[in-house]
Amino acid sequence: MVAVISGTVVSDFNSSTTKLEPKGPPEKPSGLGTRHCQAFMTFLSTMLAYTMRVNLSVGIVAMTDQKGSNPNYMVLPWTISQQGIILSAFFWGYMIPQVMAGHLARKFGPKYLLLGAMTVSSITTLLNPYIAMNCNWIVYCFTRMLIGFSQGFLFPCVNTHVAKWAPPSERNRTFSFVFGGAQVGTVVTMVVAGYLAASPWGWPSIFYCTGVCSLTWALVWLFVGGNCPDSHSSISDIEREYIKSTLVSSSDDSKNMPTPWRQILTSGPVWTLLIVHCAETWCFWMLLTMLPNYLRHVLKFEIKQNGLISSLPYLGMWIMGLVFSWCADYVIEKQILPLDVSRKMWNTIAYWGGAASLVALSVVHSVSGSVVLLTLGVSLNAAIYMGFLSNHLDLSPNFAGLLMGITNGFSTIFAILAPMVTGFIVTDQTNREEWMISFYISAGLFFFGNLVFLIFGSMEVQRWNDPLVEVDSEKPSTHSINT
C-alpha cells in the first residue's frame, strides 16, 4: 500500500495498515545562502547611506577652518550657529517620508524604493561641493534636505526586508550586522574624510568618493536584490522553505492587509518605542554631528587626527554590536533568559552605560581619558540592536517597516534639535563647560528613555499584527448563535 502525506510517500507492503509520517519542518541549509547575500547588500546600503550622512560632519571642519592646511579650496564663512542648522538640515527632509516609506515598502516591497533612495542621495551628494562653493548656506541646507528625504526610505525599507528574510534564530545577528553598517560607514568616512580633506583634492573629494561608491551599489542591487524569498529568482527551494517555515508571525499576504492605523496609534508598546527612539536619536546624533568639533576645539586634535579619533567610538560600537548580537542569539536559543528580560537588559547596557560615560566626562580632564569615555559610551550603545530596535519586529513582523517609519520619523525631530540646541549652547567652541551642558542633557535623556522601556516595554506579538484574524475573532460565531 502506498500513501502520499504532505508530499511524503510511505510504502508498507507487509501491513494492511498505512503508516502516516507527517513531513517535519525543513532543516536549516548549511553554508552561506541567498539570505546572507541579501543581508550583506542591505548592510552595504546602510553603510553607504551613512557615508553620505556623515561626510559633512567631518567635511564641515575643513570647509570652515580658517587655519586649514589646504589653501587650494574655498573656506566657507559659516558661523557655528549656521553650521548647527546646516548639520540638522538633513533631518528636516529625513523625517518627511518615514511613515509613507514603511507603508509603501509593505505594499510594493523594499527593493525598488531602496534603489531609488540611494540613487537620488548619491547624485545629490556628488553635487554638494558645487552648491557649497557657488550658493549661500541656505541653498546648501536644501541640498542636505533632499539627501535626507531620499534616505528617509532607508530604515523602513531595510526593516521590512529583514522581517521577510531573517529567521528568528538568526535575527539578532542579521539585524545587528545590517544596521551595523551605520557604524562602519561612520568609521570609514571619519577616517578617510580627514585624509581626503588634507589631500591635494581637498574637501570636495569627500563628497565625490561617497557619491560614486553609492551609485555603484545601486547598480549591483538592481540585479541581486529581492523583496522576499518568494520573489527571488535564484534562491534554492530548500532555503526558501526554511525561511518561510520559521517566520510564523509574518504573512505572505501582508501587502494586502488593511493597515490597522487606529490600533497602532493607540498602542502602548508603540508609544513606548517612540519615546525610547527619541531619546536615542538625540544622543546619537548630537555626538555624531558635533563630536568632531569638540575634538578639534576642546581636545585640540588636527584634521587628520580628528577623523581618526572621531571614528574610534563608532568602530567600537560596530565591534560590540557583533559581540552582543552573538551573545543575544545564544541566550535566546538556549532559553537562558525570557525575551522581554533579554531585550530590556541589552537596552539598559546601551542607555545607562552611555549615560554614565557622558556624566563621567565632567570629572575626567585628560585628553586620553575623555577619548576613552566617549569611545566606551558610544560602543555600549551597540546594545540597542538587541534592545528597542529589534522590538519593532517583536511587536509586528507584518508591519515592522511601518512601525520603524513611525518611530524613526517622529524621533527625527530630536535629530534636528540636537545639533541646533548644541550650537546655541556652545557659543564658544573652546569652552569645555558649555560642551558639558550638552553632554548632561544627553545623559538625562538616556536615563529617562530606558526607564520608560523597562516599565512599559512589551515583547508580545500584537493582535493587530494580523488585522484579518483580529476582525474575524471579534465576530460572533454562527455556532454560538444557533446554540
Side-chain angles (χ1 to χ4, degrees), residues 306-468:
N306 195 332
L308 180 61
I309 300 301
S310 295
S311 71
L312 286 179
Y314 303 98
L315 176 61
M317 186 176 180
W318 177 60
I319 294 172
M320 293 307 295
L322 297 177
V323 174
F324 287 162
S325 64
W326 280 90
C327 293
D329 276 338
Y330 181 83
V331 166
I332 291 174
E333 185 178 356
K334 300 299 182 181
Q335 298 182 343
I336 298 174
L337 292 173
L339 182 62
D340 62 333
V341 175
S342 176
R343 289 272 187 261
K344 292 177 180 180
M345 177 189 73
W346 292 114
N347 213 72
T348 299
I349 291 173
Y351 276 45
W352 287 359
S357 298
L358 291 175
V359 171
L361 280 172
S362 63
V363 296
V364 174
H365 296 279
S366 68
V367 172
S368 58
S370 298
V371 171
V372 168
L373 284 174
L374 287 169
T375 302
L376 177 63
V378 176
S379 298
L380 291 176
N381 196 240
I384 63 171
Y385 297 123
M386 286 61 68
F388 86 90
L389 272 182
S390 292
N391 194 214
H392 299 80
L393 280 72
D394 297 330
L395 297 180
S396 179
N398 287 327
F399 297 96
L402 179 60
L403 294 188
M404 179 63 80
I406 292 172
T407 65
N408 199 42
F410 283 96
S411 68
T412 302
I413 296 172
F414 286 76
I416 295 172
L417 292 174
M420 289 181 65
V421 171
T422 303
F424 286 114
I425 291 175
V426 183
T427 55
D428 177 6
Q429 295 187 79
T430 62
N431 190 322
R432 184 175 180 273
E433 298 305 317
E434 291 181 355
W435 282 100
M436 286 308 306
I437 295 173
S438 294
F439 292 146
Y440 289 146
I441 292 172
S442 295
L445 287 171
F446 263 150
F447 181 84
F448 174 74
N450 188 60
L451 185 64
V452 171
F453 190 63
L454 290 177
I455 297 173
F456 300 107
S458 172
M459 316 305 141
E460 299 293 329
V461 176
Q462 302 298 291
R463 285 173 55 86
W464 42 262
N465 178 59
D466 193 339
L468 299 177

Side-chain angles (χ1 to χ4, degrees), residues 55-65 78 83-84 86-87 293:
N55 53 17
L56 186 62
S57 296
V58 177
I60 201 169
V61 178
M63 294 162 77
T64 60
D65 190 356
W78 295 340
Q83 291 177 45
I86 290 168
L87 288 168
N293 277 321

Side-chain angles (χ1 to χ4, degrees), residues 463 467-481:
R463 285 173 55 86
L468 299 177
V469 171
E470 185 181 27
V471 169
D472 290 341
S473 66
E474 292 175 355
K475 295 179 181 179
S477 66
T478 306
H479 177 71
S480 62
I481 293 175

Side-chain angles (χ1 to χ4, degrees), residues 81-296:
S81 296
Q82 290 172 343
Q83 291 177 45
I85 296 172
I86 290 168
L87 288 168
S88 68
F90 173 94
F91 300 101
W92 303 350
Y94 184 70
M95 67 180 295
I96 295 172
Q98 293 277 340
V99 177
M100 176 182 65
H103 182 69
L104 293 176
R106 179 174 63 86
K107 288 289 186 182
F108 303 107
K111 176 180 177 177
Y112 291 105
L113 290 173
L114 197 54
L115 174 67
M118 290 293 286
T119 302
V120 172
S121 188
S122 304
I123 294 173
T124 310
T125 296
L126 291 170
L127 295 174
N128 261 212
Y130 177 84
I131 295 171
M133 290 186 287
N134 293 278
C135 304
N136 64 35
W137 69 275
I138 297 177
V139 175
Y140 189 76
C141 281
F142 283 102
T143 303
R144 292 294 295 179
M145 281 182 64
L146 180 57
I147 296 175
F149 181 87
S150 62
Q151 290 199 17
F153 286 83
L154 177 71
F155 277 3
C157 287
V158 169
N159 217 41
T160 301
H161 191 271
V162 171
K164 294 297 184 183
W165 280 95
S169 62
E170 303 173 8
R171 182 165 290 169
N172 282 314
R173 280 168 286 175
T174 303
F175 198 85
S176 179
F177 174 70
V178 169
F179 283 87
Q183 283 72 61
V184 177
T186 301
V187 169
V188 170
T189 306
M190 285 186 164
V191 171
V192 175
Y195 288 95
L196 288 174
S199 73
W201 302 286
W203 58 261
S205 61
I206 300 172
F207 301 95
Y208 296 144
C209 288
T210 53
V212 168
C213 290
S214 301
L215 268 180
T216 304
W217 176 91
L219 181 63
V220 176
W221 176 252
L222 178 63
F223 294 100
V224 304
N227 287 323
C228 64
D230 278 335
S231 67
H232 200 279
S233 58
S234 62
I235 188 174
S236 69
D237 292 337
I238 295 175
E239 186 178 13
R240 181 187 295 109
E241 290 305 314
Y242 167 70
I243 296 172
K244 293 178 64 177
S245 69
T246 62
L247 301 177
V248 294
S249 297
S250 181
S251 171
D252 292 337
D253 198 40
S254 59
K255 65 181 180 181
N256 296 320
M257 290 179 175
T259 305
W261 290 109
R262 180 179 59 82
Q263 292 90 333
I264 290 175
L265 297 178
T266 57
S267 170
V270 172
W271 278 95
T272 298
L273 267 183
L274 177 59
I275 293 171
V276 180
H277 206 150
C278 288
E280 165 65 21
T281 302
W282 175 289
C283 301
F284 184 84
W285 285 103
M286 189 283 288
L287 287 173
L288 185 59
T289 56
M290 303 306 287
L291 186 57
N293 277 321
Y294 179 76
L295 294 173
R296 175 71 180 90

